[in-house]
Amino acid sequence: MNIFFDVDQTLVFIDQHTNALRPGAREAMQRLKAAGHRVYVWSAAGLAHVERVVHLHGLAEWVDGMFDKDPHVEPRPDFIIDDDWFLVEKYGGHCVAQYRGVDPEDREMEAALQRLAELGHL
C-alpha cells in the first residue's frame, strides 16, 4: 500500500521555538516499511517544507517519496494519516488529533497503526 503522512500537526508540532516529531512517528514508519508498504510524506506547505522536516528528524531512510499535497499526486495514496478529516474521508485512512504541542504521552500514531491492523494491513 501507498501510505501518506501529512506533516504539520500530524507528524510534527512546529512553532517559532520548536520543531518536535510526534511520539511514535518514526516507529510507525519503520513498522510500515517492515510490513512491505511504501511510505510517503506530503504537505500543503510544499515540497521544500516536507524535505526539511524529513531530513531534520532523520526519517529519510523510511520514506519512499516526498510531495506537495497535490490531488493528482502519483503514486496515488491508498491510506493517509492526517489531521484533516475531510482529506481522510476523500482518500481513506486515519484521522489523528492535531499535534498542537510537545506531548510525550501522545499515542495517535499507535492508533493509526491499530487501524491498519484492523483492516488487515499489519
Side-chain angles (χ1 to χ4, degrees):
M1 290 180 66
N2 298 321
I3 301 175
F4 280 65
F5 286 84
D6 174 50
V7 175
D8 294 313
Q9 299 178 347
T10 298
L11 278 180
V12 295
F13 163 69
I14 299 173
D15 69 10
Q16 64 271 25
H17 306 291
T18 308
N19 189 322
L21 185 64
R22 179 177 229 145
R26 181 176 288 106
E27 296 80 6
M29 288 182 176
Q30 291 169 337
R31 202 161 153 212
L32 292 168
K33 290 298 293 178
H37 299 295
R38 289 167 305 283
V39 173
Y40 300 95
V41 182
W42 64 350
S43 175
L47 177 59
H49 178 59
V50 175
E51 290 171 338
R52 277 191 304 275
V53 167
V54 166
H55 293 292
L56 175 69
H57 293 289
L59 303 174
E61 93 178 75
W62 300 288
V63 173
D64 294 291
M66 296 175 266
F67 303 100
D68 183 24
K69 200 176 268 185
D70 178 341
H72 303 292
V73 69
E74 289 295 334
R76 303 287 300 153
D78 296 311
F79 189 94
I80 70 167
I81 299 171
D82 203 303
D83 64 298
D84 183 331
W85 184 251
F86 173 79
L87 291 176
V88 171
E89 284 290 310
K90 179 179 177 178
Y91 292 103
H94 181 79
C95 188
V96 296
Q98 291 183 339
Y99 193 52
R100 293 185 164 269
V102 177
D103 178 6
E105 303 301 314
D106 182 273
R107 298 290 176 260
E108 291 292 317
M109 287 297 157
E110 290 176 17
L113 293 179
Q114 178 61 37
R115 179 70 182 130
L116 280 159
E118 290 167 2
L119 294 171
H121 300 299
L122 279 180

